Amino acid sequence: ASSGPSTEPPDPASIFADLSPAELRAVRAFLMARPELGLSPSRGGPLAKNSLFLAELLPPEKRSALRFLERGGARPRREARVVLFFGAQAEPNVTELAVGPLPRPRSYRALPLAGGRAVPFWARPMTRREYELLHEALAAALAPLEPLLREATGGFGFQNCSGRCLTFSDVAPRGLGPGERRSWLVIQRFVEGFFLHPAGLEVLLEHRDPDPRRWAVRRLWYNGRYFGSVRELAESHARGALPLARLPEPPARRLFSSYEPRGRFPGGGRAEAHGAKVCEPRGRRYRLRGNRLEYGGWSLAFRLRSSAGLQLFDVRFGGQRLAYELSVQEAIAFYGGHSPAAMQTKYMDAGWAMGASSYELASGVDCPETAAFLDAHHLLDADGPVRFPRALCVFELPTGVPLRRHFDSDFQGGFHFYAGLEGRALVLRTTSTVYNYDYIWDFLLYPNGVLETKVHATGYIHATFYTPEGRRYGSRVHSHLLGNVHTHLVHYKVDLDVAGSGNSFETMDIRFENISNPWSAGARVVQPRLHREPRRREREAALPLDRPVPRYLLFSNPRRRNRWGHRRTLRLQLSSHAGPVLPRGCREERGVTWARYHLAVTRRHENEPSSSSIYSQNNPWDPPVTFESFIRDNETIEDQDLVAWVTVGFLHVPHAEDIPNTATPGNAVGFFLRPFNFFNEDPSVASRAPVIVRPLDPPACSRLQIRRWAPASPGPCVPPEPFSYNGTYRPV
Amino acid sequence: ASSGPSTEPPDPASIFADLSPAELRAVRAFLMARPELGLSPSRGGPLAKNSLFLAELLPPEKRSALRFLERGGARPRREARVVLFFGAQAEPNVTELAVGPLPRPRSYRALPLAGGRAVPFWARPMTRREYELLHEALAAALAPLEPLLREATGGFGFQNCSGRCLTFSDVAPRGLGPGERRSWLVIQRFVEGFFLHPAGLEVLLEHRDPDPRRWAVRRLWYNGRYFGSVRELAESHARGALPLARLPEPPARRLFSSYEPRGRFPGGGRAEAHGAKVCEPRGRRYRLRGNRLEYGGWSLAFRLRSSAGLQLFDVRFGGQRLAYELSVQEAIAFYGGHSPAAMQTKYMDAGWAMGASSYELASGVDCPETAAFLDAHHLLDADGPVRFPRALCVFELPTGVPLRRHFDSDFQGGFHFYAGLEGRALVLRTTSTVYNYDYIWDFLLYPNGVLETKVHATGYIHATFYTPEGRRYGSRVHSHLLGNVHTHLVHYKVDLDVAGSGNSFETMDIRFENISNPWSAGARVVQPRLHREPRRREREAALPLDRPVPRYLLFSNPRRRNRWGHRRTLRLQLSSHAGPVLPRGCREERGVTWARYHLAVTRRHENEPSSSSIYSQNNPWDPPVTFESFIRDNETIEDQDLVAWVTVGFLHVPHAEDIPNTATPGNAVGFFLRPFNFFNEDPSVASRAPVIVRPLDPPACSRLQIRRWAPASPGPCVPPEPFSYNGTYRPV
Ligand SMILES: [Ca+2]
Ligand SMILES: [Ca+2]
Ligand SMILES: [Ca+2]
Ligand SMILES: [Ca+2]
Ligand SMILES: [Cu+2]
Ligand SMILES: [Cu+2]
């Protein structure tokens, strides 16, 4: 596709754009045609095959990207990162390749994983094919339990079950140590919201061997008791020795796990009507061009990578870069419980294709009706690119609170002036529905140069069968249902570039000083003073989860100052209730060493692009990427290109109100990136949206001057009266 | 005003309504007519007079209020609380009375303050009259400095200064110990945003004596140096020995302290237009009747007391009371600095008539255009009721994020169902402009029974004159301006009544257990388990600011259980970055002992209505109300009527971006009150707003059923297309 002279050159942001369907097809076609790779289609066939699992953009090296963006250098070579499953090799493994150049790939090279070790085949993520085989193997193995299951569940089963089927949820990790691939499966009735309908049976299925004929049930748990085999459980039931947990018939309407309305608010007369909405009387004020988003002073490039989701690049405000990269790295949920599936569950969602689970957003529900929606394309566990319509949305949100305001009273019933600036933010959103849970990923851009990152948790809780011992690990949330305690943690990479790439990091809080009072002899003054701690090495800059965080986390350029002589600085401000998921160094904790720290600051290295990987889930004991190794060398971090790695999260003890779904109020965590002496004043003074009201005849205030720099009336979607104001407060 | 038989009886919430103008007038007239009180008007006259300072509702005792609300008992006697300044007595003092019954008061009785001690006259709040006298005294005393001031400030002065005047800001506390009333005054140029224009002069004025002829300047600070008298400073200047800080001429337009737009966002082409707004296509869904607010399942009574602001009563959801009272108690800001005014500043805003500083809210800026606005009436330091128009607003806010949602993938390109419920909250708002700062006080009601309390800080920072030593205490934010470090703390009273008044309190977090693996011999399981700590006495239930807070703070009714057998419980969840304002027991810290605890839980007593008072500001060393005394008796708090006292706040190190005003993003703190096994499921299932989409022909998903319980289109203020959805993701 040679471009004629009249074609506009592509936006520079496009170097960070996800691969187009045509590019994904080209990558796949190129690889499928390489005889030495011996690739088969992903669909069907045996597990012991070679196949393409994932293709996505391999972002350019930062050096060449900056050379292109800043100094008009050559466009960086565009490449794909692909993940190949080599199941048909003598030594089955997973290999990552870089493929390029796009759009017409000619060659590939190995992408070294950390330590240069190959990823063992048993550590690969699950595929649709493996689930198909798992389902078949499970249904076959449980055939002897069909009488038990039908009796206990009101006729639900695996065999010939149309309308009354059982299904399962699998948990991970899939074993107790390296090399294992045996999963606990929770058997559920397949009704709307089946996550909340465990039947009381959990099954440990061994599926390590690529040949499913060698798979087998190794153990079972039913209603609080363990069994060594299907036969043992079936016989116990046949003997009448098994206490059966009989589930009530699920009602045809208003099932507790569904969204169907039920009950009434007392006096909620108007609850049926539509409520408040977002509208845009003058249209959109942001610009979307390909993968570049512009709003007020903001500009950024974005992509939705299939592996780990949203990734921003080249984030600028007022033309100045604040961050080179801001991206989601991982989301985990570690559980506790009494049943084996519950105690085994330590979800690491990058391994569940978190980024590719970007299903359609509903206009008016998931994003306001005014939002712009964007599709995404993923090639993951599929034989071609798949379009995910409306995977992202962008909208301007009226925050409901002024950005800033002041009323200047004259303390005589009048005022000197009133001034205010409406509060708005641009929201860039996607969701990841990782099986039961729905994460809502937001980046918010405020007109004053503040960026907020937020993740909300909603969707179904991961719940298990209720037994009385389960109450130590959560709440009983329905007759046969336990909501298990768990910790959600999310990891972000923030490659801040504060007025350039040479940055330093310090923390700041207050200390009290006790000095002699300079205006009253003999008296003392006790008062707060700023206490700054420069953090000069990576170890000093890793702030552990179990200790309080200093309240100011400051990244500055030691060689650039604002007009008032302060180092130009960005502040990171956490909104989080994160706590440890496991004791340090203990078992699966080694797969999530990033989760040891609220914040860790490292010197940036091109070969430390991510803190986690899609392989941690199935090999947390010895994963290819270990964040701890980024800081083990304890490099100096003064005046260096730094990366801030941020962990946020919360403890979730499910409760009855999590039924049918966890709700978002109170279940959001994230962080702010705030200018802190980065500018010379609040950059939102450039906004034309403020209102200033001044009395022309103080102190009477009977005639007012209303100053606006925007039209008096915003337009037809609000009452058409122009802005009005009075400001006095008078005796009556 | 006898009510005829056709008149509707007043809403029960009216027992909590603020006094009407007629009631305020009646109270004042009654008191003015009592010869033994000898009251003079508030305006004019000497300070050594008896006068009425404040009149507001004295809320009924809880016992009689509940008897009325729940058991149809008699309407509680309606009374006013009044504050009288007895300046003309032999022993000048401040006295509080209850006056009633309203609307036709016949008698009064003394309201005992804690300890039964009278409030000394010198501890009274400032009045408009005292400020007039202070201004006169200051202008007269500084007359010899007029040449210095005019030279340094470009012609600004106190004498004959029309257009080029100086003004002052006073700080508090007003001395170093009981009995003192001497204030540091910061001299400022009177331009728009004068808080940011200190002239470099601070003056210590003694004004304890009611006779202003005995007032005097005791000390001065100019540009970093102390002086014992006006004459000493004037002479130093006359001698030419004084380094003068010459201030630049303030520009006529785009002054840095004003809201006037300046500069441009690069590429911010559409920044001039109006942006996103809130609209209500089908009108309001809440009901305001007098001081009762109803929304969805919510119902509450509210008032805006002149002393400390918003107070909610009888907060119910689904007809069930969650809290008897929820109210703001106090807001403080304690500073550090190098100039005497900065090091002296410890603002306690209840003493600055925080609740009566409820100036007009601007429609479209302070609240959306759709909001309902309500007036307030205060009688405080005035000779009759004063109407504050639009002091409060109520509006429904589209939160921009769904309340809950789930996409149920079939992992084959289709889905089992999609369901979502739009996110909305009702906001009840007022502001307190306490001189420079504007607090925005919000209560948010969510459809799922969650209540959120939030306070945003905006307005002008309290700033002092820049000297290089000042940098230890903040940032230089303009050429002659230091933004001083300070801690904002806000205190709330939450009289939770969880399914009745007999409640217990416990904290909960996780502990890790290490148990033998029940399904793999020899292996261990390390996992989280709930760790509950019942807090049986007040001391155990006081959680100090300097220690981490357990993540679950649970108030439950030990005798009421939900359907699944859990104690009905409400969870308090903090969003706060509060830290200590001073070391414990140190000087002015004794005036804010509530600020020692994130949370303290007390047994409720009618004579412990508030944690602070309007007298703390001018006598923090020995205030009439000391919160610590509420818990000193260490009462048992099991199955008792409990009150939760909540402190939230943040550390504010001002930075250049606080100019012209502190902005709201990132500067909000508060807490959530969340049902936690209080109900049997999420009560928002009663909402008729959800959308459920189900494929009629799975897995093809070519025909969808869209289920709604509200009209398909919300109406004209959003695009008129009905809701639509597709849900598939297909190869392309
Ligand atoms: Ca390193
Ligand atoms: Ca960097
Ligand atoms: Ca007590
Ligand atoms: Ca209570
Ligand atoms: Cu959760
Ligand atoms: Cu502040």
Side-chain angles (χ1 to χ4, degrees):
Chain A
S2 72
S3 53
S6 68
T7 316
E8 227 188 323
D11 189 289
S14 64
I15 65 172
F16 302 114
D18 281 315
L19 300 187
S20 68
E23 288 175 320
L24 290 167
R25 266 187 226 106
V27 169
R28 181 170 187 276
F30 168 74
L31 294 171
M32 295 296 285
R34 305 298 303 190
E36 73 278 18
L37 298 178
L39 296 182
S40 312
S42 290
R43 300 286 298 273
L47 295 177
K49 67 186 174 190
N50 293 357
S51 62
L52 170 61
F53 178 66
L54 167 67
E56 63 178 7
L57 176 76
L58 178 68
E61 291 203 348
K62 182 172 181 178
R63 196 174 29 182
S64 39
L66 289 185
R67 200 186 299 129
F68 168 70
L69 293 173
E70 303 203 324
R71 300 189 286 281
R75 215 177 163 76
R77 178 186 165 98
R78 189 160 165 86
E79 293 184 307
R81 168 199 177 218
V82 304
V83 174
L84 301 180
F85 286 181
F86 282 129
Q89 310 290 86
E91 195 75 63
N93 70 86
V94 182
T95 295
E96 299 204 355
L97 303 179
V99 179
L102 294 175
R104 278 181 302 274
R106 285 189 309 267
S107 65
Y108 63 83
R109 61 189 159 87
L111 276 177
L113 284 157
R117 298 173 301 162
V119 174
F121 194 60
W122 53 261
R124 75 193 183 283
M126 294 286 289
T127 57
R128 188 170 154 190
R129 182 67 188 132
E130 190 168 5
Y131 276 114
E132 288 166 4
L133 296 169
L134 214 56
H135 193 101
E136 286 170 22
L138 180 71
L142 296 194
L145 295 180
E146 199 75 3
L148 184 169
L149 289 167
R150 291 193 181 258
E151 192 181 338
T153 63
F156 285 73
F158 279 101
Q159 326 288 337
N160 305 315
C161 61
S162 154
R164 302 225 138 198
C165 290
L166 293 174
T167 186
F168 70 89
S169 294
D170 58 322
V171 309
R174 305 178 191 279
L176 300 175
E180 299 189 13
R181 197 171 178 94
R182 43 179 180 155
S183 303
W184 276 101
L185 311 177
V186 180
I187 310 303
Q188 296 148 329
R189 293 197 285 185
F190 185 59
V191 294
E192 202 161 280
F194 60 86
F195 311 102
L196 304 186
H197 294 272
L201 177 65
E202 298 179 359
V203 179
L204 178 63
L205 190 80
E206 164 77 57
H207 56 110
R208 170 166 177 173
D209 198 293
D211 182 350
R213 286 168 302 184
R214 300 214 191 92
W215 295 359
V217 169
R218 295 290 182 215
R219 199 162 293 254
L220 303 94
W221 179 91
Y222 179 71
N223 194 15
R225 289 168 60 192
Y226 285 90
F227 300 88
S229 68
V230 168
R231 196 171 125 187
E232 185 189 328
L233 173 55
E235 285 178 0
S236 167
H237 176 242
R239 272 204 317 277
L242 188 73
L244 222 56
R246 275 174 219 277
L247 306 183
E249 172 73 10
R253 313 217 47 141
R254 292 189 276 278
L255 184 62
F256 75 88
S257 55
S258 91
Y259 269 58
E260 288 189 22
R262 50 225 189 231
R264 289 227 150 249
F265 296 130
R270 311 276 340 261
E272 290 78 6
H274 281 270
K277 293 273 182 185
V278 176
C279 69
E280 291 185 326
R282 304 259 171 170
R284 290 179 183 162
R285 303 198 308 163
Y286 53 92
R287 193 153 39 179
L288 262 171
R289 285 185 305 187
N291 68 320
R292 176 189 294 286
L293 179 58
E294 290 175 336
Y295 174 67
W298 289 99
S299 161
L300 57 84
F302 63 92
R303 61 181 289 236
L304 183 66
R305 54 214 207 287
S306 307
S307 46
L310 268 173
Q311 186 173 36
L312 312 187
F313 282 105
D314 197 18
V315 180
R316 301 182 195 214
F317 187 83
Q320 308 184 58
R321 187 176 300 116
L322 307 182
Y324 176 74
E325 180 189 345
L326 208 177
S327 55
V328 181
Q329 296 293 307
E330 181 61 282
I332 64 171
F334 277 38
Y335 290 73
H338 185 253
S339 81
M343 68 181 76
Q344 183 68 14
T345 307
K346 285 133 195 117
Y347 285 134
M348 304 175 199
D349 290 335
W352 296 74
M354 174 168 87
S357 306
S358 55
Y359 304 107
E360 182 174 335
L361 297 168
S363 172
V365 179
D366 293 321
C367 314
E369 283 87 349
T370 50
F373 292 89
L374 294 159
D375 299 348
H377 295 90
H378 301 291
L379 197 167
L380 185 140
D381 192 19
D383 287 315
V386 174
R387 185 165 75 98
F388 285 70
R390 299 187 157 214
L392 298 127
C393 73
V394 175
F395 59 95
E396 192 178 33
L397 179 72
T399 58
V401 71
L403 187 78
R404 43 189 167 85
R405 66 93 70 182
H406 179 66
F407 180 92
D408 212 63
S409 176
D410 68 0
F411 300 102
Q412 310 176 44
F415 63 114
H416 302 128
F417 71 92
Y418 162 82
L421 180 57
E422 282 186 75
R424 296 212 185 76
L426 196 74
V427 182
L428 170 62
R429 170 173 299 165
T430 190
T431 54
S432 300
T433 300
V434 191
Y435 210 52
N436 55 303
Y437 249 110
D438 297 62
Y439 293 107
I440 301 173
W441 304 101
D442 285 353
F443 290 99
L444 289 90
L445 310 175
Y446 294 93
N448 62 336
V450 172
L451 185 150
E452 185 178 2
T453 291
K454 218 181 209 173
V455 54
H456 285 88
T458 181
Y460 287 95
I461 55 171
H462 173 63
T464 56
F465 194 73
Y466 173 76
T467 60
E469 300 86 350
R471 293 174 75 125
R472 293 200 301 267
Y473 306 97
S475 303
R476 182 182 194 175
V477 294
H478 211 269
S479 53
H480 295 87
L481 193 63
L482 180 77
N484 294 80
V485 62
H486 56 282
T487 294
H488 292 278
L489 295 182
V490 169
H491 203 221
Y492 290 94
K493 176 183 184 183
V494 192
D495 180 355
L496 291 157
D497 279 3
V498 184
S501 291
N503 296 155
S504 299
F505 170 59
E506 70 176 0
T507 60
M508 187 167 76
D509 212 306
I510 52 169
R511 291 280 168 92
F512 294 110
E513 64 178 12
N514 186 331
I515 58 175
S516 61
N517 186 320
W519 56 271
S520 181
R524 311 287 301 170
V525 172
V526 180
Q527 66 172 354
R529 186 166 59 178
L530 299 184
H531 175 74
R532 297 169 180 275
E533 277 189 74
R535 309 278 179 146
R536 301 197 169 86
R537 291 187 165 270
E538 287 173 333
R539 282 274 173 218
E540 295 167 22
L543 309 177
L545 269 201
D546 55 5
R547 285 217 292 277
V549 191
R551 283 178 291 180
Y552 280 67
L553 309 170
L554 302 175
F555 297 83
S556 59
N557 187 315
R559 286 165 293 109
R560 297 294 212 58
R561 298 190 180 251
N562 78 352
R563 190 181 298 158
W564 319 117
H566 293 283
R567 284 180 172 195
R568 299 187 63 189
T569 301
L570 290 179
R571 175 185 177 200
L572 186 74
Q573 179 182 324
L574 305 182
S575 298
S576 170
H577 304 278
V581 290
L582 277 178
R584 189 179 163 111
C586 166
R587 306 177 48 81
E588 290 82 8
E589 195 271 347
R590 295 193 292 270
V592 292
T593 53
W594 53 266
R596 295 174 179 175
Y597 310 105
H598 290 291
L599 169 68
V601 181
T602 65
R603 196 192 283 195
R604 187 186 190 282
H605 293 295
E606 203 63 55
N607 64 357
E608 291 174 352
S610 312
S611 60
S612 190
S613 78
I614 60 173
Y615 314 109
S616 297
Q617 178 66 88
N618 291 336
N619 183 11
W621 313 283
D622 184 22
V625 178
T626 301
F627 177 76
E628 190 71 26
S629 71
F630 295 10
I631 62 173
R632 191 167 291 129
D633 57 357
N634 201 18
E635 288 169 288
T636 61
I637 52 171
E638 287 179 289
D639 200 7
Q640 297 290 331
D641 189 355
L642 304 183
V643 176
W645 303 88
V646 182
T647 302
V648 296
F650 63 99
L651 174 67
H652 189 175
V653 182
H655 46 99
E657 294 82 4
D658 281 308
I659 306 298
N661 271 190
T662 296
T664 51
N667 287 328
V669 291
F671 60 87
F672 292 91
L673 223 51
R674 303 175 60 174
F676 183 88
N677 295 317
F678 185 88
F679 299 108
N680 302 317
E681 62 182 335
D682 180 348
S684 73
V685 296
S687 164
R688 263 55 189 170
V691 180
I692 307 180
V693 183
R694 299 184 180 107
L696 293 168
D697 57 345
C701 304
S702 63
R703 290 180 305 117
L704 302 179
Q705 178 205 47
I706 296 178
R707 290 221 62 194
R708 299 215 70 161
W709 290 261
S713 168
C717 91
V718 287
E721 295 83 38
F723 177 88
S724 76
Y725 202 75
N726 179 287
T728 56
Y729 42 104
R730 297 297 193 204
V732 287
Chain B
S2 72
S3 53
S6 67
T7 316
E8 225 186 325
D11 189 288
S14 64
I15 65 171
F16 302 115
D18 282 316
L19 300 187
S20 68
E23 288 174 321
L24 290 168
R25 265 187 227 106
V27 168
R28 181 170 186 274
F30 168 75
L31 293 171
M32 295 297 284
R34 306 297 304 190
E36 74 279 16
L37 299 178
L39 296 182
S40 311
S42 290
R43 300 288 296 274
L47 294 177
K49 68 186 173 189
N50 293 357
S51 63
L52 170 62
F53 177 67
L54 167 66
E56 63 178 7
L57 175 77
L58 177 69
E61 292 202 349
K62 183 173 180 177
R63 194 174 31 182
S64 39
L66 288 186
R67 199 186 299 128
F68 168 69
L69 293 172
E70 303 202 324
R71 299 189 287 282
R75 216 176 161 75
R77 177 184 166 100
R78 189 160 165 85
E79 292 184 308
R81 168 198 175 218
V82 303
V83 175
L84 301 180
F85 285 1
F86 282 128
Q89 309 290 84
E91 196 74 63
N93 70 84
V94 181
T95 296
E96 299 203 354
L97 303 179
V99 179
L102 293 174
R104 278 180 302 273
R106 283 189 311 265
S107 65
Y108 62 84
R109 60 190 161 88
L111 277 177
L113 284 156
R117 298 173 303 161
V119 175
F121 194 58
W122 53 261
R124 74 194 182 283
M126 294 286 288
T127 58
R128 187 169 155 190
R129 181 67 188 133
E130 191 168 5
Y131 275 115
E132 288 166 2
L133 296 169
L134 213 57
H135 193 100
E136 286 171 23
L138 180 71
L142 296 195
L145 295 180
E146 199 75 1
L148 184 166
L149 289 168
R150 290 195 182 258
E151 194 182 336
T153 62
F156 286 72
F158 279 102
Q159 325 289 338
N160 305 316
C161 61
S162 152
R164 302 225 139 199
C165 290
L166 293 174
T167 187
F168 68 90
S169 293
D170 58 324
V171 310
R174 305 177 191 278
L176 300 175
E180 298 189 15
R181 195 171 179 93
R182 42 179 181 155
S183 303
W184 276 101
L185 311 178
V186 180
I187 311 302
Q188 296 147 329
R189 293 197 287 185
F190 185 60
V191 293
E192 202 161 281
F194 60 86
F195 310 103
L196 305 186
H197 294 272
L201 178 64
E202 299 180 356
V203 179
L204 179 62
L205 190 80
E206 163 77 58
H207 56 109
R208 171 168 177 173
D209 198 292
D211 182 352
R213 286 167 303 184
R214 301 215 189 90
W215 295 359
V217 169
R218 296 291 182 213
R219 198 162 294 253
L220 303 94
W221 179 91
Y222 179 72
N223 194 17
R225 292 167 58 193
Y226 284 90
F227 299 89
S229 68
V230 168
R231 199 172 122 185
E232 186 190 327
L233 174 54
E235 285 177 0
S236 167
H237 176 241
R239 272 202 319 275
L242 189 73
L244 223 57
R246 275 173 220 275
L247 307 183
E249 174 70 14
R253 313 216 49 136
R254 292 189 276 277
L255 183 64
F256 75 90
S257 54
S258 91
Y259 269 59
E260 288 188 20
R262 48 224 190 235
R264 291 225 150 251
F265 296 130
R270 310 279 338 262
E272 291 78 6
H274 281 270
K277 294 273 183 184
V278 176
C279 69
E280 291 185 325
R282 303 258 172 171
R284 291 181 181 158
R285 302 200 307 164
Y286 52 93
R287 191 154 38 178
L288 261 171
R289 284 185 304 187
N291 68 319
R292 177 189 294 285
L293 179 58
E294 289 174 339
Y295 173 67
W298 289 98
S299 160
L300 57 84
F302 63 93
R303 60 182 288 234
L304 183 66
R305 52 215 209 286
S306 307
S307 47
L310 268 174
Q311 186 174 35
L312 312 187
F313 282 105
D314 198 18
V315 180
R316 301 182 194 212
F317 187 83
Q320 307 184 57
R321 187 177 299 117
L322 306 182
Y324 176 74
E325 180 189 346
L326 207 178
S327 55
V328 181
Q329 296 293 307
E330 182 61 283
I332 65 172
F334 277 38
Y335 289 75
H338 185 252
S339 79
M343 67 182 76
Q344 183 67 14
T345 308
K346 284 132 195 121
Y347 285 135
M348 304 175 197
D349 290 334
W352 297 73
M354 175 166 89
S357 307
S358 54
Y359 304 108
E360 182 173 334
L361 298 167
S363 172
V365 180
D366 293 321
C367 315
E369 284 87 349
T370 49
F373 292 89
L374 294 160
D375 300 345
H377 295 90
H378 301 293
L379 197 167
L380 184 140
D381 192 20
D383 287 314
V386 174
R387 185 165 75 98
F388 284 69
R390 298 185 158 216
L392 298 127
C393 74
V394 176
F395 59 95
E396 193 178 33
L397 179 73
T399 58
V401 70
L403 187 80
R404 43 189 167 85
R405 66 93 70 184
H406 180 66
F407 180 92
D408 213 64
S409 177
D410 69 0
F411 301 102
Q412 309 177 43
F415 61 115
H416 301 130
F417 71 93
Y418 162 81
L421 181 57
E422 282 187 76
R424 295 214 186 76
L426 196 75
V427 182
L428 170 62
R429 170 173 298 166
T430 190
T431 55
S432 299
T433 300
V434 190
Y435 209 54
N436 55 304
Y437 250 110
D438 297 61
Y439 294 107
I440 301 173
W441 304 101
D442 286 352
F443 291 98
L444 289 89
L445 309 176
Y446 293 92
N448 62 337
V450 173
L451 184 149
E452 184 178 3
T453 291
K454 218 181 208 171
V455 54
H456 286 88
T458 180
Y460 287 95
I461 55 170
H462 172 62
T464 56
F465 194 73
Y466 173 76
T467 60
E469 301 86 349
R471 294 173 75 125
R472 294 200 301 267
Y473 305 98
S475 303
R476 183 182 192 175
V477 294
H478 211 268
S479 53
H480 294 88
L481 194 63
L482 180 78
N484 294 80
V485 61
H486 56 281
T487 295
H488 291 280
L489 295 182
V490 169
H491 203 222
Y492 289 94
K493 175 183 182 182
V494 193
D495 180 355
L496 292 156
D497 279 3
V498 184
S501 292
N503 296 154
S504 299
F505 171 58
E506 70 176 1
T507 60
M508 187 167 77
D509 211 308
I510 53 170
R511 293 276 168 92
F512 294 111
E513 64 177 14
N514 186 330
I515 58 176
S516 59
N517 185 320
W519 55 272
S520 180
R524 310 286 302 169
V525 173
V526 180
Q527 66 171 354
R529 185 166 60 176
L530 300 184
H531 176 74
R532 299 170 179 271
E533 278 189 73
R535 309 278 180 148
R536 300 196 168 88
R537 290 186 165 270
E538 286 173 332
R539 282 275 174 215
E540 295 168 21
L543 309 177
L545 270 201
D546 56 4
R547 285 217 293 276
V549 192
R551 284 178 290 180
Y552 279 67
L553 308 171
L554 303 174
F555 298 83
S556 60
N557 187 315
R559 284 165 293 108
R560 296 293 213 57
R561 297 189 181 252
N562 76 352
R563 190 181 299 157
W564 320 117
H566 293 284
R567 284 180 173 195
R568 299 188 64 189
T569 300
L570 290 179
R571 174 185 177 200
L572 186 73
Q573 179 181 326
L574 305 181
S575 299
S576 170
H577 304 279
V581 290
L582 278 179
R584 189 179 164 111
C586 167
R587 304 177 48 81
E588 290 81 8
E589 194 269 347
R590 296 193 292 269
V592 293
T593 51
W594 53 265
R596 296 174 178 173
Y597 310 104
H598 290 292
L599 168 68
V601 181
T602 64
R603 196 192 282 197
R604 187 185 189 282
H605 293 295
E606 202 63 54
N607 63 358
E608 291 174 352
S610 311
S611 60
S612 189
S613 79
I614 60 173
Y615 314 110
S616 297
Q617 177 65 91
N618 292 335
N619 183 13
W621 312 283
D622 184 21
V625 178
T626 302
F627 177 75
E628 190 70 27
S629 70
F630 295 9
I631 61 174
R632 192 166 290 130
D633 57 356
N634 200 17
E635 288 169 288
T636 61
I637 51 171
E638 286 180 290
D639 199 6
Q640 296 291 332
D641 188 354
L642 304 183
V643 176
W645 303 87
V646 182
T647 302
V648 296
F650 63 99
L651 174 67
H652 189 175
V653 182
H655 47 99
E657 294 82 3
D658 280 308
I659 306 297
N661 271 190
T662 296
T664 51
N667 288 327
V669 290
F671 60 87
F672 292 91
L673 221 52
R674 303 175 60 175
F676 184 89
N677 294 318
F678 185 88
F679 299 108
N680 302 318
E681 63 181 334
D682 181 348
S684 73
V685 296
S687 164
R688 264 52 187 173
V691 180
I692 307 178
V693 183
R694 300 185 180 107
L696 292 169
D697 56 346
C701 305
S702 63
R703 290 181 303 117
L704 302 179
Q705 177 206 48
I706 296 179
R707 290 220 62 194
R708 300 214 70 161
W709 291 261
S713 167
C717 89
V718 288
E721 294 84 39
F723 178 88
S724 74
Y725 202 77
N726 180 285
T728 57
Y729 43 105
R730 296 298 192 205
V732 286

